[in-house]
Amino acid sequence: MKPVLPGATVGVLGSGQLGRMFAIAARRMGYRVHTFSPDADTPTGQVADLEVIAPYDDLDAVRRFASNVSVVTFEFENVPAPTAQAAAEHAPVRPKGEVLHTTQHRIREKTFLASGGFPLTPFRTIVTSNDLARAVADLGCPAILKTADFGYDGKGQVRVTSSAEAEAAWSSIGRVPAVLEAFIAFEKEVSVIAARGSDGAYADWGVIENRHHHHILDLSIAPADVSDTVAGQAREIARAVLEALDVVGVLCVEFFVQPGGGLLINELAPRPHNSGHLTVDASVTSQFEQQLRAVCGLPLGSTELLRPAAMANLLGDIWNPREPNWLAACARPDVKLHLYGKLAPRPGRKMGHLTALAADPGAALGMVIAARNDLR
């Protein structure tokens, strides 16, 4: 493909914090950035050159948006597939709309992974009550029931502890198409964020360990405390996934690490990932600059980790009962503060993050937790 060079305009479908950090990286390299979403004064819009405000299903507005940029990417996977298709009529969309279509829907994603022979949690597709009964009989309980669409940060999922609870659990998520997953006893959760260029060039940031609280990512540590064998396998699987999907851009593969080191894919995210925010401060090339390089056809940058790092999410809860103590956190010289420009803090809402750099991952983790505690 013909490279999209600095000075050109890049379009972003979506306007949250991932788009914000992408736009900052793009503007630093001399690109203009336009963002498209239904909302105004957004995290991305605050730093973009142009914020287009329109519904995703206004396909004429999408086409006008795409006709004024050289390439289109997206910053979250719940952009409707017809929106990506309409944009592609006027500018290349990277990753392509088919990647979005597959990964934004759990049934399609898991079916794709299973058909490719990738290791993943045993699952069954749920469309009818009979499907649910058979799935519970096959997989046993406890199990996790998840909606096929619009699931993130624990939304749209419920634990099924017995067959008698299954129908009520399905009703609680709206009796919509879903997947039932076997409950997996795992040692830890990790992710591999990787980038792939249009020429097939590949790069990743190694394995990052993730810790969740109430189903929301709380802490990420790089490098992860896993064996070289497990790290190598995770990276090999991630590369194979990107190649099978023909990704041009950035994609995250989330894994469960089982006792003994076995790996199971939990889910895919076809864009930069919360666990990779630490790459902004800790790596030669951040995940956001790499996304720009990949979708614009530039050579991929080095993903070398300059120092071990840990990241702590800042949720809206920290603003209660008062504004966080920013001076206390910033008093730590090896801690970096990132705020997303969101207008209203709410419980569970991702408002920003802290990244700490140290000589080893454990020290970085202790430092970032202490800095977050300082905010209170």
Side-chain angles (χ1 to χ4, degrees):
M1 75 184 195
K2 184 179 179 181
V4 178
L5 299 176
T9 302
V10 179
V12 181
L13 296 175
S15 60
Q17 63 265 23
L18 300 179
R20 179 188 185 91
M21 289 180 272
F22 172 83
I24 290 169
R27 295 193 68 173
R28 187 179 66 189
M29 290 183 64
Y31 290 86
R32 293 184 178 274
V33 179
H34 293 182
T35 181
F36 184 105
S37 83
D39 303 313
D41 196 13
T42 59
T44 309
Q46 291 165 8
V47 298
D49 295 275
L50 177 67
E51 181 176 46
V52 177
I53 304 164
Y56 290 120
D57 59 4
D58 185 344
L59 299 186
D60 287 336
V62 173
R63 293 183 181 100
R64 288 193 297 271
F65 171 80
S67 67
N68 288 308
V69 303
S70 296
V71 64
V72 173
T73 190
F74 43 85
E75 65 100 43
F76 82 129
E77 60 265 44
N78 289 328
V79 172
T83 303
Q85 293 167 358
E89 296 172 16
H90 295 276
V93 176
R94 299 177 182 135
K96 59 187 178 181
E98 291 86 345
V99 175
L100 182 69
H101 181 70
T102 297
T103 56
Q104 70 184 184
H105 187 272
R106 283 194 174 102
I107 295 173
R108 289 195 293 267
E109 178 178 289
K110 290 182 179 294
T111 301
F112 161 79
L113 290 169
S115 66
F118 293 103
L120 72 161
T121 307
F123 76 98
R124 298 291 185 273
T125 298
I126 310 301
V127 179
T128 68
S129 291
N130 287 338
D131 293 336
L132 182 59
R134 284 194 299 268
V136 171
D138 287 348
L139 300 178
C141 291
I144 309 297
L145 187 65
K146 299 179 179 180
T147 58
D149 287 309
F150 303 112
Y152 64 95
D153 288 346
K155 296 177 174 65
Q157 61 180 270
V158 61
R159 182 168 173 159
V160 180
T161 57
S162 71
S163 58
E165 291 182 0
E167 281 288 337
W170 192 28
S171 295
S172 74
I173 59 172
R175 300 183 71 83
V176 294
V179 295
L180 187 74
E181 296 181 359
F183 183 79
I184 299 297
F186 57 89
E187 288 189 342
K188 62 185 65 178
E189 296 180 65
V190 301
S191 56
V192 176
I193 303 161
R196 185 171 177 269
S198 60
D199 59 354
Y202 172 88
D204 66 55
W205 286 264
V207 181
I208 299 169
E209 181 176 344
N210 301 312
R211 300 180 186 178
H212 293 76
H213 183 66
H214 296 315
H215 302 291
I216 299 174
L217 183 65
D218 186 45
L219 300 162
S220 291
I221 309 105
D225 182 16
V226 297
S227 70
D228 290 345
T229 299
V230 169
Q233 291 173 345
R235 298 174 75 178
E236 287 177 10
I237 293 168
R239 181 168 191 158
V241 169
L242 269 74
E243 290 176 349
L245 282 169
D246 192 24
V247 169
V248 176
V250 168
L251 182 140
C252 176
V253 184
E254 298 179 35
F255 294 95
F256 296 130
V257 182
Q258 298 176 282
L263 289 165
L264 296 174
I265 295 176
N266 178 27
E267 60 185 25
L268 310 178
R271 35 90 180 153
H273 191 260
N274 194 172
S275 64
H277 291 353
L278 54 78
T279 64
V280 173
D281 300 305
S283 301
V284 174
T285 307
S286 75
Q287 62 173 347
F288 303 103
E289 180 184 328
Q290 199 79 296
Q291 180 188 18
L292 176 76
R293 286 171 172 264
V295 304
C296 289
L298 304 181
L300 299 183
S302 167
T303 55
E304 179 187 355
L305 190 69
L306 298 173
R307 294 177 72 189
M311 181 216 69
N313 268 331
L314 303 179
L315 304 184
D317 312 65
I318 294 175
W319 274 250
N320 184 27
R322 63 185 65 84
E323 185 79 8
N325 185 349
W326 304 120
L327 286 176
C330 292
R332 295 178 178 269
D334 290 323
V335 173
K336 300 294 184 179
L337 171 66
H338 298 258
L339 294 175
Y340 304 149
K342 294 183 179 180
L343 303 181
R346 295 193 299 267
R349 190 183 198 193
K350 294 174 182 174
M351 301 295 295
H353 69 269
L354 297 170
T355 301
L357 308 178
D360 63 77
L365 178 61
M367 191 183 302
V368 82
I369 291 173
R372 185 167 62 182
N373 290 339
D374 289 345
L375 293 175
R376 296 187 182 277

